[in-house]
């Protein structure tokens, strides 16, 4: 006879296995459909560029059309690289600020631990201050219209 704890553990294990299998199947299906959709979008993009090139070539000539499209693609690539550089710098700045805050919190905790032996009242006050200072902050920002 199986104990109730073993039965509950077995039930939980089977539920976890079912969820893993469902997740794997769903991921495979999503990957296949995303791959097919991506392939079709790439085909559509290629045909659109070819059509645009032909239309521009009829109006301005083949060389002007190709150079114009190459210039436009280059300009878009440069703009995207600039955006990427900006986002990377912003993320590095945020990481640096978080490291500084973490270091400051550690120093404050060390100060509180050091003063714990000398003055119990100061220890209680620092404990309250630490509790308020170290509380988890919400990652969502409040909008100005709230």
């Amino acid at each position: 006879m199986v104990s109730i704890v073993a039965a509950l553990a077995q039930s939980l294990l089977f539920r976890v296995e079912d969820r893993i299998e469902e997740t794997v199947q769903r991921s495979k299906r999503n990957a296949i459909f995303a791959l097919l959709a991506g392939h079709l979008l790439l085909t559509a993009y290629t045909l659109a560029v070819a059509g645009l090139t032909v239309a521009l070539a009829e109006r301005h000539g083949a060389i002007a059309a190709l150079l114009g499209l190459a210039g436009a693609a280059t300009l878009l690539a440069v703009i995207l690289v600039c955006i990427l550089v900006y986002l990377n710098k912003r993320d590095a700045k945020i990481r640096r600020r978080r490291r500084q805050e973490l270091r400051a919190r550690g120093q404050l905790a060390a100060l509180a631990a050091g003063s714990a032996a000398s003055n119990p009242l100061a220890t209680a006050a620092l404990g309250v201050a630490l509790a308020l200072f170290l509380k988890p902050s919400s990652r969502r920002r409040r909008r100005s219209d709230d």
Side-chain angles (χ1 to χ4, degrees):
M1 182 170 222
V2 179
S3 71
I4 192 150
V5 174
L8 287 173
Q10 189 176 22
S11 173
L12 178 66
L13 180 65
F14 285 141
R15 242 185 272 152
V16 168
E17 286 178 354
D18 288 342
R19 287 183 184 166
I20 290 173
E21 289 175 10
E22 289 173 5
T23 303
V24 168
Q25 291 298 325
R26 188 173 49 241
S27 297
K28 285 180 183 178
R29 182 188 65 224
N30 290 345
I32 289 170
F33 277 97
L35 187 64
L36 288 173
H39 179 68
L40 292 173
L41 285 173
L42 185 61
T43 302
Y45 172 76
T46 304
L47 292 174
V49 169
L52 183 62
T53 305
V54 169
L56 287 175
E58 287 179 358
R59 176 175 260 179
H60 300 291
I63 294 179
L66 290 172
L67 289 177
L69 285 177
T74 303
L75 179 65
L76 286 174
V78 168
I79 289 171
L80 287 176
V81 167
C82 289
I83 290 171
L84 180 64
V85 167
Y86 167 76
L87 291 174
N88 286 341
K89 284 184 180 181
R90 188 190 67 177
D91 289 345
K93 187 177 180 180
I94 289 171
R95 281 192 307 270
R96 191 175 9 204
R97 188 179 317 135
R98 285 183 183 159
R99 278 194 303 266
Q100 288 173 350
E101 289 175 1
L102 187 61
R103 217 178 353 234
R105 288 177 182 176
Q107 291 171 354
L108 188 59
L111 175 67
S115 67
S118 62
N119 190 348
L121 186 58
T123 302
L126 278 173
V128 170
L130 276 174
L132 293 174
F133 185 67
L134 295 177
K135 72 176 183 176
S137 61
S138 174
R139 289 188 174 235
R140 293 188 302 161
R141 294 184 184 189
R142 293 187 181 206
R143 292 184 287 178
S144 59
D145 59 356
D146 284 347

